[in-house]
């Protein structure tokens, strides 16, 4: 950019607009430190889907909604899924369709509320997969053994999930 050049515009509603998409606002500093540059903000919706045995065949929804806010490299997500049919697959259950690719960090989880899910080993847990847009579902275990995958056998045709998560983008 050229010193003295116009870097911001004001639209007809009085909102400030940067001259280019790579411009932002430095927060918490009096100098241009890249780690303090807020240059990405977005709000929107997405359509989460369930996969069983790696397939969406036979799965239908009465509710399928996702909302997100992205601030920098963090995404805040709320989603709701109510099944009207689960199909006939019996393997591992996952969620696909997150709005942004996750980072390479493999320690991200989500809070899951579930209803009408027949998880015999405990609560349903969500593990956010690295470098992707999906989540694997597990059952918590209290006997000291590894958590097990939630399977299609444990989903019902009226299963209901609400999830909240914050994750880092790639």
């Amino acid at each position: 950019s050229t010193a003295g050049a116009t870097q911001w515009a004001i639209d007809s509603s009085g909102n400030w607009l940067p001259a280019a998409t790579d411009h932002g606002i430095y927060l918490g500093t009096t100098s241009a430190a890249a780690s303090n540059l807020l240059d990405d903000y977005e709000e929107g919706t997405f359509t989460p889907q369930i996969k069983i045995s790696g397939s969406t065949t036979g799965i239908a929804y009465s509710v399928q909604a996702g909302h997100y806010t992205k601030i920098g490299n963090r995404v805040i997500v709320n989603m709701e899924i109510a099944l009207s049919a689960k199909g006939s697959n019996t393997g591992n259950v996952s969620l696909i369709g997150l709005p942004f690719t996750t980072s390479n960090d493999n320690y991200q989880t989500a809070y899951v509320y579930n209803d009408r899910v027949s998880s015999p080993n405990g609560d349903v847990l969500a593990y956010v997969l690295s470098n992707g847009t999906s989540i694997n579902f597990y059952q918590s275990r209290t006997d000291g053994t590894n958590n097990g995958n939630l399977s299609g056998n444990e989903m019902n045709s009226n299963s209901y999930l609400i999830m909240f998560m914050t994750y880092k983008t790639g």
Side-chain angles (χ1 to χ4, degrees):
S1 65
T2 306
T6 301
Q7 298 298 312
W8 292 86
I10 299 176
D11 71 9
S12 61
S13 297
N15 299 305
W16 284 33
L17 299 169
T21 58
D22 64 344
H23 290 96
I25 299 171
Y26 289 102
L27 300 172
T29 185
T30 57
S31 62
S35 62
N36 294 75
L37 180 64
L38 177 59
D39 60 355
D40 190 5
Y41 180 88
E42 182 179 332
E43 296 178 16
T45 61
F46 67 102
T47 306
Q49 291 184 284
I50 294 291
K51 279 187 2 181
I52 302 174
S53 300
S55 173
T56 58
T57 302
I59 300 172
Y61 306 88
S62 57
V63 176
Q64 188 180 14
H67 301 274
Y68 71 86
T69 301
K70 183 175 187 291
I71 304 170
N73 68 353
R74 297 293 168 166
V75 183
I76 304 161
V77 172
N78 295 80
M79 60 190 116
E80 177 183 25
I81 291 177
L83 297 181
S84 57
K86 72 166 192 144
S88 60
N89 290 322
T90 59
N92 296 343
V93 179
S94 59
L95 179 134
I96 59 173
L98 292 176
F100 298 93
T101 300
T102 62
S103 71
N104 195 31
D105 303 326
N106 62 356
Y107 49 85
Q108 301 183 97
T109 62
Y111 170 77
V112 180
Y113 167 82
N114 71 90
D115 193 12
R116 299 176 297 272
V117 175
S118 303
S119 174
N121 294 310
D123 292 330
V124 174
L125 308 172
Y127 181 80
V128 182
L129 298 177
S130 299
N131 297 318
T133 56
S134 61
I135 295 171
N136 281 351
F137 290 107
Y138 294 90
Q139 304 171 55
S140 65
R141 300 254 169 101
T142 58
D143 62 3
T145 61
N146 291 337
N147 294 333
N149 290 87
L150 182 67
S151 76
N153 289 333
E154 292 145 348
M155 296 295 284
N156 296 299
S157 285
N158 64 349
S159 289
Y160 180 69
L161 301 169
I162 297 175
M163 288 181 284
F164 170 79
M165 64 185 289
T166 299
Y167 69 92
K168 185 178 173 190
T169 60

